[in-house]
Amino acid sequence: MSTPDDPPKLPFSRDERRLFYAVSRACGWLSAAHFVGAAALLFGGCCILPLGAALITNGFPGARGPLGSVIGGLMVVGFLPLLLTWVAQGSVLVGLYRRFDRLARPGGRDLLLLEESFVRLRLFFVVEAIFGIVTLALSLFMSSLGGLASLGWLGGPG
Amino acid sequence: MKPKPVEPWGGAKGASFGRPPGGGSPDAAVGADPSGRGPASPGQGAPRDAFDALGPPLSRLPFSPSSERVLSHVVLAMRVTAGAMVGSALVAMVGSVAFGATWTGILAALGQLAVAVVVALPSQVLPAGLLVRVSNALARVGTTDEEDQARLIEGLRTLRWLFLVRTLLFVFAVASPCVLGILGAMFYGMLASVMGPVLGGLSGS
């Protein structure tokens, strides 16, 4: 009978341990990509924010109506949440990297490490789901904006 | 001769995947499970390391009820994400056709649809498919008591591919707007400094 001090050992084979190692490396790469993306976004913010502000004030060059202002507003408002999301996801992925890296070594804490990995996977994918829903809503919003613009209600090119 | 560095899982670096557990001679592999799980029967040699002493894969992993609940949340979040990704791809395709047909003509709209399909297939539909596969495998771990360990490994194997695909897409998605954004901002800045009053007049009209 296992106790919290002596958790049950799971019979993972060498190939399965190797898979844990590969998963940990994949987590590491994805986390690095998120951090680099956040840094690039921070750097690009210097370009995006003035451009968004200019669009809010002036609209699209050569366009009439508030379409440019709406897109500029989205650029300014969407910048910070995207940055925070990427940093948070990168941090969660670092946690996953560590757990799967430890799972790659045979030991007695496999079950605990797997349970901790599930908690981090839940965090990661809940953020992903929220991000996906927001992206879907934005796609719908932009498509309807495009539809309204094509009807001449929001202005358009020329 | 320098000793081979040891990998975290206990094998020697550079060793082939088919070597028997414990790094024994090829003869010792006769009768061993090709997955590296150890001798097929107790009479085929004494265990040499932790891997040799392994039993068969567990049909039920003894997760706590709270962990099984967490697993069901993971599965739900994965399925919602996959649905949102496919929905976004569909909206982008329909939107590109409608937008193009209204403003640029039907031929250009078909071109935009082709671009949308080419972009959406690898960036949205492929990760969504992988997500569904992972979620199905993990759902079986949480809801059934049959081949839990094998399902978990199947799910993690797909998760690894999902993460690698996401990494490539992320690098591509970050790199291209970064470069385009910097070039665009430089171009916009030059244009604004040279033709500022003209642009202001156009946007006001």
Side-chain angles (χ1 to χ4, degrees):
Chain A
M1 184 74 188
S2 64
T3 62
D5 294 332
D6 179 24
K9 290 183 174 61
L10 300 182
F12 289 122
S13 68
R14 179 166 293 170
D15 284 352
E16 288 164 349
R17 300 275 175 199
R18 231 178 235 143
L19 176 67
F20 291 141
Y21 182 78
V23 173
S24 83
R25 264 52 198 167
C27 292
W29 282 113
L30 190 54
S31 113
H34 274 83
F35 285 131
V36 170
L41 191 61
L42 201 59
F43 176 70
C46 303
C47 306
I48 289 170
L49 290 181
L51 194 61
L55 282 175
I56 291 172
T57 317
N58 299 325
F60 274 130
R64 56 191 164 76
L67 184 60
S69 305
V70 173
I71 292 174
L74 283 175
M75 282 164 74
V76 172
V77 173
F79 168 71
L80 200 60
L82 191 61
L83 185 71
L84 291 178
T85 304
W86 283 357
V87 171
Q89 282 192 311
S91 309
V92 171
L93 283 165
V94 168
L96 268 176
Y97 164 84
R98 285 191 185 142
R99 263 112 200 130
F100 279 112
D101 191 54
R102 266 186 249 163
L103 272 167
R105 296 166 169 80
R109 297 179 62 232
D110 291 345
L111 196 67
L112 191 66
L113 286 170
L114 270 178
E115 289 178 347
E116 287 177 5
S117 305
F118 291 155
V119 173
R120 275 152 188 84
L121 271 179
R122 177 175 65 174
L123 258 174
F124 181 80
F125 281 108
V126 164
V127 174
E128 278 284 293
I130 294 170
F131 196 71
I133 290 170
V134 170
T135 309
L136 177 60
L138 269 179
S139 304
L140 282 169
F141 178 65
M142 296 300 278
S143 293
S144 35
L145 265 187
L148 290 176
S150 67
L151 292 172
W153 291 4
L154 288 177
Chain B
M1 196 175 135
K2 274 171 63 179
K4 284 185 176 175
V6 176
E7 291 284 17
W9 52 80
K13 206 165 196 168
S16 65
F17 283 104
R19 286 187 68 166
S25 67
D27 294 341
V30 177
D33 188 330
S35 69
R37 198 170 282 286
S41 68
Q44 289 177 337
R48 296 177 189 189
D49 63 11
F51 294 107
D52 279 348
L54 293 176
L58 294 180
S59 60
R60 182 184 178 278
L61 291 172
F63 291 127
S64 64
S66 64
S67 286
E68 292 198 343
R69 219 171 21 252
V70 169
L71 201 55
S72 70
H73 293 164
V74 174
V75 169
L76 180 66
M78 281 179 174
R79 287 179 177 164
V80 169
T81 310
M85 286 170 110
V86 172
S88 299
L90 285 176
V91 169
M93 285 181 206
V94 173
S96 68
V97 172
F99 217 69
T102 312
W103 280 357
T104 54
I106 200 74
L107 205 61
L110 287 178
Q112 286 182 14
L113 176 67
V115 170
V117 169
V118 167
V119 171
L121 277 180
S123 69
Q124 305 278 354
V125 179
L126 174 65
L130 290 172
L131 263 176
V132 169
R133 279 191 66 179
V134 180
S135 68
N136 285 345
L138 293 184
R140 271 184 256 164
V141 173
T143 54
T144 67
D145 287 342
E146 294 166 6
E147 298 182 334
D148 272 7
Q149 190 174 335
R151 297 287 169 233
L152 178 73
I153 294 301
E154 180 192 331
L156 289 179
R157 194 165 283 133
T158 315
L159 185 72
R160 180 196 166 212
W161 281 111
L162 174 71
F163 280 174
L164 290 176
V165 168
R166 289 294 307 274
T167 304
L168 283 179
L169 289 173
F170 207 90
V171 168
F172 185 74
V174 166
S176 49
C178 219
V179 173
L180 288 177
I182 290 167
L183 289 178
M186 282 168 59
F187 179 73
Y188 190 82
M190 278 166 49
L191 205 65
S193 62
V194 175
M195 301 177 64
V198 181
L199 288 175
L202 275 175
S203 60
S205 64

